[in-house]
Amino acid sequence: MKRLRLCVCVLTCCLATYAAPVSGSNLPGPHNQHGNEPVWEHNLFSAGYDPITFCGGTVSAIILEEGTEREITPQGEPQVEVTERPTPLGPAVQRTYSWTTVQGYRLEYRITRIGNDAFTLSAALTNGSLNPIRLERFWLLKTPENGMTVTGEPSDWMLSSTDPEARRWGTLDRRLPTERELLQEGAFCRNYLISGGDETKINDPAWRGFGDNMSLYHRSGRGVTFAAVDTVADVNFDIRVEGTQMRLDIRCDMTGVLVESGETRPSDEVLVAIRPWGAAMQARSRWIADVAGVRNTKKPVFGWCSWYRSKTDVTAEEVCSLADYVGKNRDRIPMEVVQIDEGWHRSRYDWRENGKFSMGMDSIARCIRKAGMVPGVWLCPVNPEVMPFEAGSPRRVFPAEWYINYGTGEPSMTRLDPTQPEARAHMRKVLQTLYDQGYRYFKLDFSYIPNDSRSFYNPKVTRLQAQRALFRLYREAIGEESYLMACCYQQRTIVPYADANRIGTDCCAEEGFCRPLASDGLPGNLWSPYFPILSMASSCYENGILGNSDPDVTYLAYTHKTKPAQLLTFHSFIGTLGGAVLTSDLLYLPEFDQPQNIRLFEILNPSAREKGVSFSGGFDPYGREFGCVVERSYGNSVNLLLWNPEHKQAADLTMTHVPLEKIGKRFHVWSLWDEAYLGIHGNDFHVPQVAPYEHKLLRLTALSEGPSLIGSNLHISMGATEVLSLERQQDKLQITLDPDAGARNGKLFLYSEEPLSQAVSTNSDVFVCKQQGTDHVYVVTLTDRVRERPETVTLRIGAGEAPGQQTVLKDKARAAKWDKASFSQGWLTAW
């Protein structure tokens, strides 16, 4: 009888909130311009936003009452309070439903409607009993089977998140291996379902688990994003997929926090944005930034990290040689940071130099600073791990009470409790010692408190709050002036304490661009350029809003199994992202100290002015169409990186979701790495049959009546960073460049139906010629630019025609300048 009443309630709620799709319809209909207010009726949640509906959802809180688990659920008619509240996305209307049990527990459920295309869900529990309890979790939404539905074909809908290491993304028609099966294969997988502990979910391949956020998008661009946006607790999204019909469980893990009698504990807040993926991701990041109080006061770094070329074999001589080389070549490579990675210390629990740095860590810092850079250092003070190369079996090197506890009740072997006073004092001392030795850039690794951590020394904090306490400790220890580079995939745990974040896995290019594939069709091992690219594509809207993203190092020379053309794809992603730019290459060695290798690094400095985003995000987690819109007073353009993520086959690269509104239906297309003008095209432009992992980096420029800039190889942003202005003054064209941006030698590419000639520069040796094989494209070659010297390039319009490229290159001196101002195609075959 109870089951019958539930079914009636579910049907009533569903019919009240949406119209059923027309039978036989295969595609979502147009957006509902008005949206439907989420409804709580008969103690069930429903909402309808064409083409997505929710039906029959419930809410509850799970507590431990004297060691016994109990679920607090809505009973009877709720008290209802309607209020207006401000949100980071604008004014909203919040409805709070509350119920009080006979034991005195008060459960609140808050549904906040924001405009016509977003709402939030949150809950709170008040302990009105006489005894303290432990709060295990909130179920912020639990739909029945088929309680979340979309219209259309399952193959046209993609589930994904900003954490590609979860490996649970894929279209709705796919059956994916379980997390446990992937672990058995040896394929790394973020274990969101396993950490939840539900054996049914763990062993059912229909279940997929995501942490912090989840997106469901149709290939047309329509869909929904779910995201935790507060800083209270972990939120997981468990979703069981049966075609276009799903069950959704939104779990807020309170990790057994202590709730005293009379105390109220809120859940985290979950944003549900029925918006295009980019708009939803931007809304998510801005909400977190507002709640956490983000401080974007420091720019992305340009520098060197010792890890990939040296690993733990790094030496003081190596670091000082690199610093000395950069100091002598600052006009070409003005690095800001030299960072010593793992290998300088005795162990991961004894942070004293290990003998290879016997001149003293303070002396190394002075060497780096003397060369004009900030001294940087790697460490992981919260992770006192006994490494395999150390004698003895795994053991705790500090008192057991310093360590966090797991759900099993066992203390960790490898993570200190950031709320335990003695552990905190130890970590603070480690950091302050290095600060006193002159280090002002700290790369803090292995700083993630595991998902199943609980029962901290401070019983009032959740796992997520303990994580935030750790980064607050880090910031207090190193001061506001120091640069904090976090290594933590969960971005909202480090805001506002970290200046930047390593957003992806290690980029170990020596073993190839893509390792052998697991049964889910993804690389079995994460340590290659493949997953860092996916991280850039998925988390791009965090960059510049929640901090600076670090996609890991790029390479300028030989990398064994990764082919040069493939590595250039990774290089282009790093430059287009507009985040941190680092390399591990030992630039002072002959194999790196080559004009082409150094020029590849030059064109990444400084970080691009516009931040790259995935134009087809949501349905495309690979970032097949990645770039940015560049709006300038002298003409708009789009920087576009198209790449082929297919593992074994060539593919046509097409434009599906590139925002062309700012440049018009027809536009110039110019290709960076081959410096080729590809003509005037429309949205049907494509690049045929590109090999696996290779790409095209293009600039699409709006058509204009007068001379226009259509490309530049001075910087990887193709004019968006190094060109400050372009202005016509009667018969002259003036181009103002940023002398501190880009390579010291390079070219500007102009399209003009009026003849151009007589190039003059205030800061370069310059000449102009007409590009071979084109009617209206002119190339301005600039060499020997000097940093910090103002630069304006002037050309005459209509006062004669510049010589052709072939004529100019007959002059050996100019031919040599032409060559050193270009990327050499020989780099692609030299390995």
Side-chain angles (χ1 to χ4, degrees):
M1 196 67 186
K2 289 181 180 179
R3 183 174 298 174
L4 177 61
R5 284 201 299 270
L6 175 62
C7 291
V8 171
C9 290
V10 170
L11 180 61
T12 301
C13 292
C14 291
L15 291 177
T17 54
Y18 76 101
V22 177
S23 177
S25 173
N26 292 322
L27 290 173
H31 268 306
N32 184 338
Q33 296 299 315
H34 301 290
N36 287 314
E37 183 173 355
V39 171
W40 183 263
E41 191 173 43
H42 306 298
N43 285 341
L44 293 171
F45 172 89
S46 296
Y49 293 86
D50 185 23
I52 298 163
T53 57
F54 306 90
C55 188
T58 62
V59 62
S60 65
I62 309 297
I63 66 171
L64 280 179
E65 189 181 52
E66 297 182 347
T68 301
E69 189 171 284
R70 178 176 179 178
E71 185 171 16
I72 310 299
T73 61
Q75 297 293 326
E77 290 298 315
Q79 292 183 326
V80 182
E81 181 182 5
V82 181
T83 57
E84 294 184 356
R85 60 171 282 205
T87 76
L89 305 185
V93 176
Q94 177 173 290
R95 284 177 167 80
T96 301
Y97 304 87
S98 59
W99 305 262
T100 303
T101 70
V102 293
Q103 294 84 6
Y105 300 121
R106 178 183 174 88
L107 176 66
E108 294 183 2
Y109 195 40
R110 301 161 184 162
I111 303 174
T112 302
R113 181 182 179 184
I114 310 161
N116 296 318
D117 58 0
F119 61 90
T120 70
L121 303 174
S122 62
L125 182 73
T126 300
N127 179 11
S129 74
L130 299 178
N131 300 310
I133 59 171
R134 293 279 181 170
L135 178 55
E136 293 292 302
R137 71 190 68 88
F138 289 100
W139 290 107
L140 294 180
L141 185 66
K142 263 188 144 179
T143 75
E145 301 296 331
N146 308 332
M148 176 178 165
T149 63
V150 293
T151 56
E153 295 298 323
S155 58
D156 289 335
W157 287 93
M158 172 71 74
L159 264 174
S160 64
S161 79
T162 61
D163 180 18
E165 294 174 46
R167 304 181 74 121
R168 310 307 298 153
W169 39 265
T171 49
L172 297 184
D173 61 318
R174 292 191 62 189
R175 271 292 186 264
L176 298 172
T178 66
E179 292 173 351
R180 182 166 286 167
E181 288 169 342
L182 285 171
L183 288 173
Q184 291 170 347
E185 290 183 52
F188 181 90
C189 176
R190 201 86 72 196
N191 301 316
Y192 292 119
L193 289 173
I194 290 176
S195 68
D198 186 325
E199 287 294 324
T200 301
K201 293 180 179 179
I202 293 170
N203 294 305
D204 184 350
W207 278 100
R208 309 186 195 182
F210 301 94
D212 253 22
N213 61 82
M214 178 185 78
S215 294
L216 176 61
Y217 279 83
H218 188 268
R219 67 171 64 250
S220 66
R222 287 171 286 179
V224 60
T225 287
F226 305 82
V229 289
D230 209 337
T231 56
V232 174
D234 293 299
V235 175
N236 283 12
F237 301 89
D238 302 347
I239 185 164
R240 190 175 192 277
V241 177
E242 292 291 346
T244 57
Q245 298 182 329
M246 290 151 278
R247 169 184 160 187
L248 174 63
D249 294 350
I250 303 179
R251 168 169 47 98
C252 180
D253 191 355
M254 302 301 291
T255 51
V257 292
L258 178 66
V259 185
E260 303 281 5
S261 177
E263 185 179 3
T264 299
R265 287 301 301 249
S267 74
D268 215 283
E269 188 164 16
V270 170
L271 171 67
V272 184
I274 304 89
R275 300 179 174 183
W277 182 82
M281 286 289 116
Q282 197 168 41
R284 165 191 173 253
S285 291
R286 286 179 173 169
W287 192 302
I288 295 170
D290 185 83
V291 168
V294 72
R295 296 168 293 181
N296 278 332
T297 59
K298 301 187 180 95
K299 65 180 183 178
V301 296
F302 181 72
W304 181 83
C305 156
S306 66
W307 178 248
Y308 291 93
R309 293 296 188 181
S310 302
K311 300 294 173 66
T312 56
D313 295 328
V314 60
T315 65
E317 291 74 20
E318 193 173 78
V319 174
C320 288
S321 295
L322 187 282
D324 182 65
Y325 175 90
V326 174
K328 292 175 180 176
N329 292 276
R330 291 197 63 78
D331 197 55
R332 295 196 67 187
I333 42 174
M335 284 187 184
E336 298 152 340
V337 170
V338 168
Q339 180 241 310
I340 308 167
D341 216 280
E342 186 166 17
W344 64 270
H345 53 100
R346 297 184 183 186
S347 70
R348 287 189 180 175
Y349 53 87
D350 186 349
W351 298 100
R352 293 174 291 173
E353 66 84 20
N354 56 14
K356 293 186 295 180
F357 292 77
S358 55
M359 63 189 296
M361 292 298 287
D362 52 351
S363 295
I364 303 295
R366 285 194 295 271
C367 170
I368 295 170
R369 197 169 293 281
K370 183 180 178 182
M373 290 163 289
V374 174
V377 65
W378 173 99
L379 66 161
C380 51
V382 77
N383 176 230
E385 187 172 359
V386 178
M387 299 298 288
F389 55 78
E390 297 182 53
S393 59
R395 65 189 189 278
R396 299 184 189 94
V397 294
F398 297 117
E401 59 267 23
W402 286 26
Y403 292 79
I404 60 171
N405 293 301
Y406 292 136
T408 59
E410 285 294 314
S412 167
M413 290 281 187
T414 62
R415 290 295 192 281
L416 299 181
D417 184 340
T419 73
Q420 206 279 344
E422 286 85 359
R424 287 176 60 82
H426 163 74
M427 291 186 280
R428 186 184 298 271
K429 182 179 179 181
V430 167
L431 290 165
Q432 289 180 337
T433 297
L434 287 160
Y435 178 91
D436 292 341
Q437 291 174 334
Y439 291 86
R440 294 295 183 272
Y441 177 95
F442 292 82
K443 180 180 178 182
L444 299 174
D445 207 350
F446 297 102
S447 293
Y448 187 76
I449 306 299
N451 279 333
D452 55 350
S453 304
R454 57 189 296 111
S455 300
F456 294 92
Y457 176 87
N458 180 350
K460 296 294 188 74
V461 302
T462 65
R463 189 217 67 87
L464 186 135
Q465 289 168 330
Q467 178 87 60
R468 289 181 57 77
L470 175 65
F471 277 93
R472 183 167 60 248
L473 167 66
Y474 286 167
R475 173 54 71 191
E476 291 169 354
I478 66 175
E480 287 296 331
E481 70 276 21
S482 295
Y483 202 103
L484 197 165
M485 173 68 76
C487 296
C488 180
Y489 72 90
Q490 198 177 22
Q491 185 83 28
R492 69 190 175 105
T493 66
I494 65 177
V495 178
Y497 312 113
D499 300 300
N501 189 32
R502 260 288 307 279
I503 59 171
T505 55
D506 286 11
C507 180
C508 303
E510 67 270 14
E511 290 299 322
F513 199 92
C514 187
R515 306 291 178 87
L517 303 180
S519 58
D520 60 354
L522 295 172
N525 191 307
L526 298 179
W527 322 123
S528 74
Y530 196 82
F531 274 99
I533 286 180
L534 269 55
S535 295
M536 283 187 264
S538 61
S539 65
C540 51
Y541 281 100
E542 296 173 359
N543 185 33
I545 299 177
L546 297 179
N548 301 310
S549 294
D550 172 21
D552 211 0
V553 303
T554 189
Y555 295 84
L556 311 175
Y558 184 57
T559 52
H560 299 277
K561 294 183 181 179
T562 298
K563 298 177 182 178
Q566 297 170 354
L567 188 59
L568 212 58
T569 300
F570 188 66
H571 200 73
S572 292
F573 263 100
I574 285 181
T576 304
L577 177 69
V581 175
L582 298 108
T583 187
S584 279
D585 290 345
L586 300 169
L587 303 178
Y588 60 89
L589 295 179
E591 58 264 39
F592 304 107
D593 185 20
Q594 300 295 323
Q596 282 297 309
N597 305 83
I598 299 301
R599 190 176 188 283
L600 275 175
F601 206 45
E602 282 186 279
I603 65 171
L604 297 179
N605 179 63
S607 180
R609 289 168 64 183
E610 275 81 11
K611 308 296 184 183
V613 298
S614 178
F615 291 141
S616 53
F619 188 81
D620 169 32
Y622 300 95
R624 286 182 174 90
E625 303 170 72
F626 192 82
C628 60
V629 176
V630 180
E631 296 186 67
R632 297 290 185 267
S633 60
Y634 55 83
N636 296 337
S637 58
V638 173
N639 287 357
L640 176 60
L641 191 166
L642 299 173
W643 84 294
N644 175 17
E646 299 295 333
H647 300 299
K648 298 179 180 179
Q649 60 187 25
D652 292 346
L653 306 183
T654 61
M655 301 192 304
T656 304
H657 292 102
V658 179
L660 302 175
E661 310 85 53
K662 297 290 184 178
I663 61 172
K665 295 181 179 180
R666 304 286 289 173
F667 41 81
H668 300 287
V669 180
W670 182 82
S671 173
L672 174 68
W673 296 115
D674 50 6
E675 299 175 5
Y677 176 63
L678 304 181
I680 297 174
H681 293 273
N683 60 7
D684 58 347
F685 174 81
H686 70 282
V687 184
Q689 292 300 287
V690 175
Y693 318 135
E694 296 186 15
H695 79 299
K696 277 286 188 179
L697 185 55
L698 308 168
R699 174 178 162 128
L700 317 179
T701 305
L703 304 181
S704 64
E705 293 184 1
S708 61
L709 178 73
I710 59 170
S712 166
N713 71 1
L714 284 166
H715 192 275
I716 201 164
S717 64
M718 299 177 286
T721 300
E722 73 278 26
V723 177
L724 299 178
S725 67
L726 184 148
E727 182 180 3
R728 178 171 185 164
Q729 296 179 348
Q730 296 180 344
D731 63 345
K732 293 182 180 180
L733 183 66
Q734 287 194 333
I735 306 170
T736 303
L737 301 177
D738 181 346
D740 296 328
R744 301 299 88 191
N745 307 297
K747 297 171 182 174
L748 302 173
F749 294 79
L750 304 167
Y751 183 92
S752 178
E753 295 184 2
E754 300 175 83
L756 301 179
S757 61
Q758 302 178 33
V760 177
S761 172
T762 60
N763 187 25
S764 306
D765 187 346
V766 61
F767 62 88
V768 60
C769 66
K770 199 167 185 180
Q771 189 170 35
Q772 184 177 340
T774 63
D775 290 331
H776 304 294
V777 177
Y778 296 82
V779 184
V780 179
T781 300
L782 309 167
T783 54
D784 303 319
R785 302 174 68 215
V786 178
R787 199 167 294 279
E788 298 182 357
R789 181 184 295 172
E791 182 162 20
T792 299
V793 178
T794 304
L795 294 101
R796 293 293 300 274
I797 304 173
E801 183 73 272
Q805 179 179 331
Q806 286 183 316
T807 301
V808 168
L809 297 186
K810 291 178 181 178
D811 182 316
K812 291 184 178 180
R814 286 194 168 182
K817 293 176 186 287
W818 175 276
D819 288 342
K820 78 175 185 176
S822 290
F823 171 70
S824 171
Q825 297 299 307
W827 189 87
L828 296 172
T829 58
W831 305 358

